[in-house]
Amino acid sequence: MYDVFRFAERPGERTLDQPDPRLECAVLRPQESDGEHFLSYYLPKEDAEAEEYKMRRREGDNDMDEKPPIPFHWVRDYETSRVEQDIPNEVLLVLDDLDDTTQSGRMSTHEIKGAYYMNISRKITLKKRRVNKYDAPLTDKIDIFQISHAPFTSEEDAERAETLGMVHDPEWLAKGKEAQEAKEKAEADIFGNGTDADGEGDEDMIPAPRTNGAHQDNMDED
């Protein structure tokens, strides 16, 4: 699922007429103070650091461990306000003409030329959080943290591929439905043959042996 975060005004300290590539790689960190939940907003200090960060995410180099981490600096805190309404007309849209790379620099992962979309599940508005002098100070506030990249584990690779399939595979919904139907059919076949969920047969369906004209419990035979 995908969420849309919209700012009441442009984040960062630059004016609207100044390009700011840092905004494409911002980090939102959940925070809590006296039961109030909000988000802390972080950006790289320099444009070059932002471009380096985006390049690393695109290319996924194998020598990530050898590259220095990129520092992200606290900018300000934001209050969140969820839009309580359905979002039927907003989607995540990817146009792929099957060139070598897309506009973002990523390699194409689709098999068929076309437009791919995914529904937006939630919309959240971010407004600057006003500091109250009576608020308790944050005990875990972080002014600067550094981000580095580590190679994916096999489990993380599989999870990432499954998540990307939701957007990149035009038949993802159909495949998911077919897989669910196949699973239900297999379970029906198993249960129909007198096998329970643990793969064991239903003992009630097996006639108990008779001894001297009386029923004998199966466990007594052992």
Side-chain angles (χ1 to χ4, degrees):
M1 296 188 298
Y2 291 86
D3 298 337
V4 172
F5 289 85
R6 287 183 173 169
F7 292 85
E9 57 190 39
R10 188 187 190 187
E13 73 285 356
R14 300 183 187 179
T15 59
L16 291 175
D17 59 341
Q18 290 181 294
D20 195 347
R22 305 173 304 159
L23 301 182
E24 299 179 23
C25 52
V27 172
L28 291 169
R29 181 172 182 259
Q31 293 275 48
E32 189 269 338
S33 175
D34 289 338
E36 177 192 4
H37 296 268
F38 57 94
L39 297 174
S40 292
Y41 186 79
Y42 296 82
L43 288 174
K45 202 72 171 178
E46 306 294 337
D47 290 358
E49 293 173 335
E51 296 295 348
E52 172 69 15
Y53 177 76
K54 290 186 288 186
M55 183 275 294
R56 294 184 189 181
R57 294 193 64 186
R58 285 197 305 265
E59 297 184 358
D61 291 341
N62 295 324
D63 58 345
M64 286 295 185
D65 292 339
E66 302 176 5
K67 295 185 176 180
I70 297 175
F72 280 70
H73 299 254
W74 178 84
V75 177
R76 70 172 306 115
D77 296 327
Y78 286 92
E79 299 174 347
T80 63
S81 176
R82 179 174 176 177
V83 178
E84 298 294 342
Q85 63 184 40
D86 294 333
I87 314 174
N89 58 348
E90 295 194 29
V91 297
L92 173 69
L93 183 65
V94 176
L95 301 176
D96 195 343
D97 56 6
L98 297 186
D99 285 343
D100 291 338
T101 58
T102 61
Q103 290 183 351
S104 66
R106 296 177 181 270
M107 295 296 294
S108 174
T109 57
H110 302 133
E111 297 179 359
I112 303 174
K113 178 179 179 179
Y116 299 81
Y117 71 93
M118 182 71 182
N119 291 335
I120 301 297
S121 59
R122 293 184 299 181
K123 186 190 299 182
I124 299 172
T125 300
L126 300 181
K127 298 180 180 180
K128 291 181 178 179
R129 179 174 181 264
R130 306 301 176 185
V131 179
N132 189 325
K133 65 179 180 180
Y134 300 107
D135 289 343
L138 294 177
T139 58
D140 60 346
K141 180 179 179 180
I142 298 176
D143 292 323
I144 302 176
F145 62 83
Q146 304 196 55
I147 294 181
S148 57
H149 292 79
F152 281 142
T153 64
S154 57
E155 291 80 6
E156 291 170 338
D157 251 334
E159 181 180 355
R160 181 174 184 270
E162 181 179 356
T163 303
L164 287 175
M166 297 170 63
V167 176
H168 293 162
D169 188 351
E171 299 180 356
W172 181 81
L173 287 175
K175 290 178 179 178
K177 184 178 180 180
E178 291 175 358
Q180 181 63 28
E181 291 175 349
K183 179 181 178 181
E184 292 174 355
K185 184 178 183 301
E187 291 177 349
D189 292 342
I190 292 173
F191 295 144
N193 291 330
T195 305
D196 60 24
D198 296 327
E200 298 178 354
D202 189 343
E203 294 183 357
D204 293 338
M205 299 182 64
I206 303 175
R210 293 177 179 270
T211 302
N212 297 328
H215 286 287
Q216 180 177 345
D217 195 301
N218 288 339
M219 294 187 65
D220 293 339
E221 295 181 356
D222 296 331

